[in-house]
Amino acid sequence: MAHEGMLAELDGRRKAARRMGGPDKLAKRAERGQLNAQERLDTLLDPGSFFEVGLLGASGVFEADVEATPRDGKLTGFGRIEGRDVGVVVNDFTTKGASTSATNSKKMGYIRRISTERGMPFVHIGESTGARLPDAMGSKGMGALLGNDTTQFRRMRDTPWVAAALDTSFGSSAWMCCCADFAVMKKGSIMSVSSPRLVSMAIGEKVDLEELGGWRLHAEQTGLIDHFVDTDAEAMEAIRRFLSYMPSHNGEMAPRQPVTEGSGDNQERILDVLPEKRTQVYSMKKIIEILFDVGSFFEMKPRFGKSAVVGLARLDGQAVGVIANNPQVGGGALSAEACRKIIDLTVLCDSFNLPIIRLMDTPGFVVGTDAERRGAPGQIMNFMNATCLTTVPSITVVCRKAYGRAYVAMGGGAHNDAMIAWPNAEVSFMDPVFATNIVHNLSAGQEGFEDALAHIQKDLEIWDMARIFSAQDVVKPQETRAWIIRMLDIQRRRRSGGIGQHLMRTWPTSY
């Protein structure tokens, strides 16, 4: 064949590119139980669906690095998840630690741009060391590597972005998690701006890996990661599950799923969970599991801002966002961290056309010197702003307590499309015990306290609010699921095909 030599050369170059860091490095990963980049890709995508671009990319800075940088350390292309197209970047740590270079920056930028312009989710599987040295050193290195893509960190939430922090995730792997709508981290991994070695040199002392960027730090203190898993395979499954609740882009609705068997059965179980005594705590998560389709609740940030519970779920097959107070932590009083968590979920749902269901049982916001130091006033106002900017259908259920400004932030008053309450609901400016102390200057145990408290509590009952139509209805707890399903259908945005106004599309993904 006349072209046999040319075609053989192409085959050889393709084969060399697919070797990644070589058999020795790949074998060591396998011994440690780590998936390599190709295995992660195969686990993430539908079988046989990966369509690679940039296979022959390599270092464009030093000629001596060309053979040592197959694919320039990043597998990039397009594939399918549950039959839907996605753009994907998977870092290959066996090649130069998946360090960021001029070539692979162009590869990643291409995938992000096409995903955004053509309406596909973008997925970044991170494990990297940061910028490649010495490529980035000096004015020429900086000029070639940094600042050439003005869209790199611009989030307009046109399409969902998803990221994973696996094993060693510095530099771009951390940036993508902070920019993402959903970020998953494997336990035992580290996600931070720079490596412990560099940080140690910068501050002149040894740095502990876990304290620098371990999973507990991000789970409990920073809130930068939404979901935590034990293995690479679980991380890929979490990404697939999250995207199942999302539309491919913000101009369409999320796909509807068949209703899981048993959903809606035995709604009376809510009464077994909900205590009659107003001061007794209960599990709001159990209420959520009963109300929504069986097995559909996908919780976000479970160990951050624990006085709130947020996540995605399905109701009669429709993807929705769930925002709830958690009486088991601080009686459901909202901390600054809980406000942040709720804001994140609100922005996500409004940006991608998911209705929001709020389950309210809160005595208000956490107060005190520590709350002030954590910026509580600013977070409360951010919370209020997000609630006011919501344009997707939202329904509020007052399950029990609804006090003060938190009542409004959680969708009270006119800050919803419909608000219902359970018969045991109580609404007022503050907790009746505190109000009795302030109004009557009486404390528990003093003569006349119980009578004064009883008088104030009578004014809290939901009947007066229903009488003036500030609540659309009072329903039995076991009637709630059916009521919400019907009301969501009524509140569909028919004129826009269900698409919201996306007023929060530029809200920071981390703040």
Coordinates of all heavy atoms in Angstrom, one line a residue, residues 283-322:
S283 N -35.8 13.2 63.6 CA -35.0 13.1 62.5 C -35.7 13.7 61.2 O -36.7 13.0 60.7 CB -34.6 11.7 62.2 OG -33.9 11.6 60.9
M284 N -35.3 14.8 60.8 CA -35.9 15.4 59.5 C -35.5 14.5 58.3 O -36.3 14.4 57.4 CB -35.4 16.8 59.3 CG -36.1 17.5 58.1 SD -37.9 17.7 58.3 CE -37.9 19.2 59.2
K285 N -34.4 13.8 58.4 CA -34.0 13.0 57.3 C -35.0 11.8 57.1 O -35.3 11.4 56.0 CB -32.6 12.4 57.4 CG -31.5 13.5 57.3 CD -30.1 12.9 57.5 CE -29.1 13.9 57.5 NZ -27.7 13.4 57.6
K286 N -35.5 11.3 58.2 CA -36.6 10.3 58.1 C -37.8 10.8 57.5 O -38.5 10.1 56.7 CB -36.8 9.7 59.5 CG -35.7 8.8 60.0 CD -36.1 8.2 61.4 CE -34.9 7.4 61.9 NZ -35.2 6.8 63.3
I287 N -38.2 12.0 57.8 CA -39.4 12.7 57.1 C -39.1 12.8 55.6 O -40.0 12.4 54.8 CB -39.6 14.1 57.7 CG1 -39.9 14.0 59.2 CG2 -40.7 14.8 57.0 CD1 -41.2 13.6 59.6
I288 N -37.9 13.2 55.3 CA -37.6 13.3 53.8 C -37.7 12.0 53.1 O -38.2 11.9 52.0 CB -36.2 13.9 53.7 CG1 -36.2 15.4 54.1 CG2 -35.7 13.8 52.2 CD1 -34.8 16.0 54.3
E289 N -37.2 10.9 53.7 CA -37.2 9.6 53.1 C -38.6 9.1 52.9 O -38.9 8.4 51.9 CB -36.4 8.6 54.0 CG -34.9 8.9 54.0 CD -34.2 8.1 55.1 OE1 -34.9 7.4 55.9 OE2 -33.0 8.2 55.2
I290 N -39.5 9.5 53.8 CA -40.9 9.1 53.6 C -41.6 9.9 52.5 O -42.4 9.4 51.7 CB -41.7 9.2 54.9 CG1 -41.1 8.3 56.0 CG2 -43.2 8.9 54.8 CD1 -41.6 8.5 57.4
L291 N -41.4 11.3 52.5 CA -42.1 12.2 51.6 C -41.7 12.0 50.2 O -42.6 12.0 49.3 CB -41.8 13.6 52.0 CG -42.6 14.3 53.1 CD1 -42.1 15.7 53.4 CD2 -44.1 14.3 52.7
F292 N -40.4 11.8 49.9 CA -40.0 11.7 48.5 C -39.9 10.3 48.0 O -40.0 9.3 48.7 CB -38.6 12.5 48.4 CG -38.8 13.9 48.7 CD1 -38.6 14.4 50.0 CD2 -39.1 14.8 47.7 CE1 -38.8 15.7 50.3 CE2 -39.3 16.2 48.0 CZ -39.1 16.6 49.3
D293 N -39.6 10.2 46.7 CA -39.6 8.8 46.1 C -38.5 8.0 46.8 O -37.5 8.4 47.2 CB -39.2 8.9 44.6 CG -40.3 9.6 43.8 OD1 -41.4 10.0 44.4 OD2 -40.1 9.7 42.6
V294 N -38.9 6.7 46.9 CA -38.0 5.8 47.7 C -36.6 5.8 47.2 O -36.3 5.6 46.0 CB -38.6 4.4 47.7 CG1 -37.6 3.3 48.3 CG2 -39.9 4.3 48.4
G295 N -35.6 6.0 48.1 CA -34.2 5.9 47.7 C -33.7 7.0 46.9 O -32.6 6.9 46.4
S296 N -34.5 8.1 46.7 CA -34.0 9.1 45.7 C -33.3 10.3 46.4 O -32.7 11.1 45.7 CB -35.3 9.7 45.0 OG -36.1 10.5 45.9
F297 N -33.3 10.4 47.7 CA -32.6 11.5 48.3 C -31.1 11.4 48.3 O -30.5 10.4 48.7 CB -33.1 11.7 49.8 CG -32.5 12.9 50.5 CD1 -32.7 14.2 49.9 CD2 -31.8 12.8 51.7 CE1 -32.2 15.3 50.5 CE2 -31.3 13.9 52.3 CZ -31.5 15.2 51.7
F298 N -30.5 12.4 47.7 CA -29.0 12.5 47.5 C -28.5 13.7 48.3 O -28.6 14.8 47.8 CB -28.7 12.6 46.0 CG -27.2 12.5 45.7 CD1 -26.5 11.5 46.1 CD2 -26.6 13.5 44.9 CE1 -25.1 11.4 45.8 CE2 -25.3 13.4 44.6 CZ -24.5 12.4 45.0
E299 N -28.0 13.5 49.5 CA -27.7 14.6 50.4 C -26.4 15.2 50.0 O -25.4 14.6 49.5 CB -27.6 14.1 51.8 CG -27.4 15.2 52.8 CD -27.4 14.7 54.3 OE1 -27.5 13.5 54.5 OE2 -27.3 15.6 55.2
M300 N -26.3 16.5 50.2 CA -25.1 17.3 49.9 C -24.5 17.9 51.2 O -25.3 18.3 52.1 CB -25.4 18.4 48.9 CG -26.3 18.0 47.7 SD -25.4 17.5 46.3 CE -25.1 19.0 45.5
K301 N -23.2 17.9 51.3 CA -22.5 18.5 52.5 C -23.1 18.0 53.8 O -23.4 18.8 54.7 CB -22.6 20.0 52.4 CG -22.0 20.7 51.1 CD -21.9 22.2 51.3 CE -21.8 22.9 50.0 NZ -20.5 22.6 49.3
P302 N -23.2 16.7 54.0 CA -23.8 16.2 55.2 C -23.2 16.6 56.5 O -23.8 16.6 57.6 CB -23.8 14.7 55.0 CG -22.7 14.4 54.1 CD -22.7 15.6 53.2
R303 N -21.8 16.8 56.5 CA -21.1 17.1 57.8 C -20.8 18.6 57.9 O -20.1 19.0 58.8 CB -19.8 16.3 57.8 CG -20.1 14.8 57.9 CD -18.9 13.9 57.8 NE -18.0 14.1 58.9 CZ -17.2 13.2 59.4 NH1 -17.2 11.9 58.9 NH2 -16.4 13.4 60.4
F304 N -21.3 19.4 57.1 CA -21.1 20.9 57.1 C -22.4 21.6 57.4 O -23.4 21.3 56.8 CB -20.5 21.3 55.8 CG -20.2 22.8 55.7 CD1 -19.1 23.3 56.3 CD2 -21.0 23.7 55.0 CE1 -18.8 24.7 56.3 CE2 -20.7 25.0 54.9 CZ -19.6 25.5 55.5
G305 N -22.4 22.5 58.3 CA -23.7 23.3 58.6 C -24.8 22.3 58.9 O -25.9 22.4 58.3
K306 N -24.6 21.4 59.9 CA -25.5 20.3 60.1 C -26.8 20.6 60.7 O -27.7 19.8 60.8 CB -24.8 19.3 61.1 CG -23.6 18.6 60.4 CD -23.1 17.4 61.2 CE -22.4 17.8 62.5 NZ -21.8 16.7 63.2
S307 N -27.1 21.9 61.0 CA -28.4 22.3 61.5 C -29.4 22.4 60.3 O -30.6 22.7 60.4 CB -28.4 23.6 62.3 OG -27.9 24.6 61.6
A308 N -28.8 22.2 59.1 CA -29.7 22.2 57.9 C -29.4 20.9 57.1 O -28.3 20.4 57.2 CB -29.4 23.4 57.0
V309 N -30.4 20.4 56.4 CA -30.2 19.2 55.5 C -30.6 19.6 54.1 O -31.7 20.2 53.9 CB -31.1 18.1 56.0 CG1 -31.0 16.9 55.1 CG2 -30.8 17.6 57.4
V310 N -29.7 19.5 53.2 CA -30.0 19.8 51.8 C -29.6 18.7 50.9 O -28.8 17.9 51.2 CB -29.3 21.1 51.4 CG1 -29.6 22.3 52.3 CG2 -27.8 20.9 51.2
G311 N -30.2 18.6 49.7 CA -29.9 17.6 48.7 C -30.9 17.6 47.6 O -31.8 18.5 47.4
L312 N -30.7 16.7 46.7 CA -31.6 16.5 45.5 C -32.4 15.2 45.8 O -32.0 14.3 46.5 CB -30.7 16.3 44.3 CG -29.8 17.4 44.0 CD1 -28.9 17.1 42.8 CD2 -30.5 18.7 43.7
A313 N -33.6 15.2 45.2 CA -34.5 14.1 45.4 C -35.4 14.0 44.2 O -35.4 14.9 43.3 CB -35.3 14.2 46.7
R314 N -36.3 13.0 44.2 CA -37.3 13.0 43.2 C -38.7 12.9 43.8 O -38.8 12.2 44.9 CB -37.1 11.8 42.2 CG -35.9 12.0 41.3 CD -35.8 10.9 40.3 NE -34.6 11.1 39.4 CZ -33.4 10.7 39.7 NH1 -33.2 9.9 40.8 NH2 -32.4 11.0 38.9
L315 N -39.6 13.5 43.2 CA -41.0 13.5 43.7 C -41.9 13.2 42.6 O -42.0 13.9 41.6 CB -41.4 14.9 44.3 CG -42.7 15.0 45.1 CD1 -42.6 14.1 46.3 CD2 -42.9 16.4 45.5
D316 N -42.5 12.0 42.6 CA -43.3 11.5 41.5 C -42.4 11.4 40.2 O -42.9 11.7 39.1 CB -44.5 12.3 41.3 CG -45.6 11.5 40.5 OD1 -45.7 10.3 40.7 OD2 -46.3 12.2 39.7
G317 N -41.1 11.1 40.4 CA -40.2 11.0 39.3 C -39.5 12.3 38.8 O -38.6 12.3 38.1
Q318 N -40.0 13.4 39.4 CA -39.4 14.7 39.0 C -38.3 15.1 39.9 O -38.4 15.0 41.1 CB -40.5 15.8 39.1 CG -40.0 17.2 38.7 CD -41.1 18.3 38.8 OE1 -42.2 18.0 39.2 NE2 -40.8 19.5 38.3
A319 N -37.2 15.6 39.4 CA -36.0 16.0 40.1 C -36.4 17.3 40.8 O -36.9 18.3 40.2 CB -34.8 16.2 39.3
V320 N -36.1 17.4 42.1 CA -36.3 18.6 42.9 C -35.1 18.8 43.9 O -34.4 17.9 44.2 CB -37.6 18.5 43.7 CG1 -38.8 18.3 42.8 CG2 -37.6 17.3 44.7
G321 N -35.0 20.0 44.4 CA -34.1 20.3 45.5 C -34.9 20.3 46.8 O -36.0 20.7 46.9
V322 N -34.2 19.8 47.9 CA -34.8 19.8 49.2 C -33.9 20.6 50.2 O -32.7 20.4 50.2 CB -34.8 18.3 49.7 CG1 -35.5 18.2 51.1 CG2 -35.6 17.4 48.7

